[in-house]
Amino acid sequence: MITTSKRLNGIGEYYFSQKLREIEELNKQGKNIISLGIGSPDLPPHPDVIKVLQEESAKPNTHAYQSYKGSPVLRNAISTWYKTWYQTDLNPDTEILPLIGSKEGIMHICMTYLNEGDEVLIPNPGYPTYTSAVKLAGGNIKPYELTPGNHWQPDFDILDKTDLSKVKLMFVNYPHMPTGQLPTKDFFIKLVAWTTQKNILLVHDNPYSFILNDSPMSLLSIEGAKEIVVELNSLSKSQNMAGWRVGMLCAAKERIDEILRFKSNMDSGMFLPVQLAAAKALGLGKDWYDSINKIYRQRREKVFALLEILQCSFSKEQAGMFVWAKIPAGYKDGYALSDEVLYNANVFITPGGIFGNAGNDYVRVSLCCAEEKIAESIKRIKDCLVK
Ligand SMILES: Cc1ncc(COP(=O)(O)O)c(C=O)c1O
């Protein structure tokens, strides 16, 4: 018998991979499920971006392996994007590493820095990939709890009383997924000061800063941050390019060189036309972000209405492409509410518990779905669920 490696012990299939299969099964039975689950933009990228991909891929000389560090055109575009929107200077030659989506960067960072038994501070609730990447790399997770009372920010008083002697990395992510919490400058300053003092490498995952947020912030804009921060960013959400797999890692030259030692052994660069089209996308102006946010804002109003019907409570000040909401009394947890809505109304919403047990009493509703479908979901829920 062939056994899987020990490293896979405790690593399950990704929740959505499993759940989407179940939804497919239900659809085969004729259920016609509306999914308000996953955060994959349903809208296309800007037409100029697609034009660059088409033109460049029609050329004979764009099909070879590419540099492990990415095309200089893309690195320059990332540098200009950071300067324009985040008021942050990055050297395009040394401080930027394009990624095949930011998710792979999470794994690369863990593989680059963790030894067996090293600990990593992980947000609870938070993006599940942090946990699996740490475990796959041989590290141990040390979840830190986020609560609405503390604006979904880490409680430094509690952390100061915790044994941090084995902690090497800390993951943070603001605007936060799944809660939609925005960062403040003071909070970012505190984070940089605290991790600098504790000598913990601070990994900021920043894919949502342009969605329903007028003031995108980079943790690297904070003075002294480059000494201690690695920032991941992505074109998946802000440029509607999730399937293209383009992200970036921004940090001091030393960190980029260290992470490249691992990454250059994993892949052989990114298709050049994709990189050139991504560079085009990063050059889009305010009109682009305004146009997508207008749509998300309209959808969000409908999602608020849906959540009110379910008697959930929520803040209207959330950023990112989801609404995070507390379930009403009477449900055991978010899984119970999600299952009830799925099996009775044929609408899928994500149970908050998949992001950690601090999310158990919540659900997350995605805005990546046409307004008419959200309206149809409301109708279905009203028809079957209102008690
Ligand atoms: C918090 C967070 N980080 C990272 C990612 C991965 O994004 P990418 O498409 O760039 O790999 C996601 C995607 O859902 C996310 O929610």
Side-chain angles (χ1 to χ4, degrees):
M1 192 177 107
I2 313 266
T3 53
T4 54
S5 68
K6 287 201 192 109
R7 130 177 9 96
L8 278 186
N9 291 351
I11 305 280
E13 187 184 351
Y14 194 54
Y15 172 82
F16 280 113
S17 158
Q18 240 171 337
K19 199 69 191 179
L20 292 178
R21 219 176 22 247
E22 187 191 340
I23 290 174
E24 215 175 293
E25 264 321 298
L26 291 170
N27 282 335
K28 276 190 201 146
Q29 297 162 21
K31 301 279 188 198
N32 185 21
I33 307 291
I34 297 176
S35 177
L36 303 177
I38 206 159
S40 178
D42 54 315
L43 300 165
H46 193 285
D48 291 353
V49 174
I50 293 170
K51 195 162 161 240
V52 172
L53 179 72
Q54 285 171 331
E55 286 173 2
E56 293 298 328
S57 54
K59 293 178 183 170
N61 59 346
T62 54
H63 303 275
Y65 286 127
Q66 294 298 311
S67 153
Y68 296 97
K69 279 192 70 177
S71 153
V73 176
L74 178 54
R75 281 188 272 111
N76 279 315
I78 292 172
S79 171
T80 306
W81 190 61
Y82 258 78
K83 182 75 187 161
T84 308
W85 295 99
Y86 298 117
Q87 300 78 48
T88 299
D89 289 306
L90 293 174
N91 182 327
D93 296 326
T94 57
E95 295 181 330
I96 293 170
L97 180 61
L99 298 174
I100 306 172
S102 61
K103 191 172 180 179
E104 69 151 11
I106 296 168
M107 192 69 214
H108 296 338
I109 291 166
C110 291
M111 291 299 280
T112 302
Y113 294 105
L114 296 180
N115 288 315
E116 202 75 26
D118 283 342
E119 292 182 344
V120 181
L121 290 169
I122 300 281
N124 174 21
Y127 185 43
T129 299
Y130 309 139
T131 298
S132 37
V134 168
K135 288 184 179 167
L136 284 167
N140 295 327
I141 57 159
K142 211 170 171 72
Y144 62 89
E145 194 167 324
L146 305 175
T147 60
N150 203 36
H151 308 287
W152 303 106
Q153 292 172 2
D155 186 326
F156 293 104
D157 291 336
I158 294 180
L159 285 176
D160 278 333
K161 291 184 196 125
T162 309
D163 176 10
L164 300 171
S165 55
K166 292 190 185 145
V167 173
K168 203 161 179 197
L169 305 179
M170 176 181 195
F171 278 94
V172 291
N173 151 235
Y174 291 92
H176 181 244
M177 198 294 297
T179 67
Q181 177 68 51
L182 277 163
T184 62
K185 187 156 186 195
D186 284 348
F187 166 57
F188 270 4
I189 290 171
K190 171 78 190 169
L191 258 180
V192 170
W194 189 83
T195 45
T196 303
Q197 194 221 341
K198 306 281 180 199
N199 194 32
I200 294 171
L201 183 64
L202 181 56
V203 183
H204 183 223
D205 185 19
N206 194 15
Y208 292 103
S209 53
F210 285 86
I211 309 298
L212 294 174
N213 173 27
D214 294 330
S215 316
M217 265 174 83
S218 164
L219 193 46
L220 289 166
S221 68
I222 303 301
E223 211 184 313
K226 260 189 215 162
E227 306 299 318
I228 201 80
V229 172
V230 170
E231 183 160 282
L232 294 163
N233 214 322
S234 174
L235 281 74
S236 293
K237 324 284 177 179
S238 48
Q239 272 75 21
N240 287 342
M241 292 170 72
W244 294 51
R245 313 307 302 132
V246 190
M248 68 202 75
L249 195 150
C250 306
K253 177 181 185 303
E254 296 73 22
R255 301 291 89 70
I256 298 286
D257 290 347
E258 289 155 0
I259 294 162
L260 189 59
R261 266 171 68 195
F262 177 78
K263 177 172 157 63
S264 58
N265 285 292
M266 290 294 103
D267 66 71
S268 302
M270 221 190 297
F271 186 38
L272 183 61
V274 167
Q275 295 194 59
L276 300 175
K280 182 78 186 175
L282 292 172
L284 294 171
K286 187 168 179 297
D287 286 1
W288 165 255
Y289 300 108
D290 287 348
S291 68
I292 57 172
N293 280 320
K294 186 169 171 225
I295 295 169
Y296 286 129
R297 212 163 276 121
Q298 286 162 349
R299 291 175 176 183
R300 189 168 62 172
E301 287 304 315
K302 288 252 169 350
V303 167
F304 287 162
L306 182 152
L307 287 164
E308 270 158 14
I309 293 164
L310 290 172
Q311 296 176 6
C312 291
S313 47
F314 50 88
S315 156
K316 292 194 169 179
E317 306 299 313
Q318 302 183 32
M321 44 184 47
F322 307 99
V323 179
W324 178 247
K326 186 148 194 214
I327 57 170
Y331 287 96
K332 183 169 157 276
D333 53 25
Y335 290 98
L337 177 58
S338 169
D339 280 348
E340 182 167 319
V341 175
L342 178 61
Y343 301 127
N344 294 322
N346 293 331
V347 174
F348 174 59
I349 61 178
T350 306
I354 74 155
F355 304 105
N357 60 6
N360 271 347
D361 290 342
Y362 293 82
V363 287
R364 189 196 76 170
V365 182
S366 168
L367 303 178
C368 298
C369 186
E371 229 182 304
E372 305 78 63
K373 282 201 173 167
I374 306 173
E376 167 65 18
S377 307
I378 291 175
K379 186 175 168 300
R380 290 185 189 182
I381 289 171
K382 265 189 184 157
D383 287 351
C384 333
L385 287 186
V386 176
K387 294 171 182 164

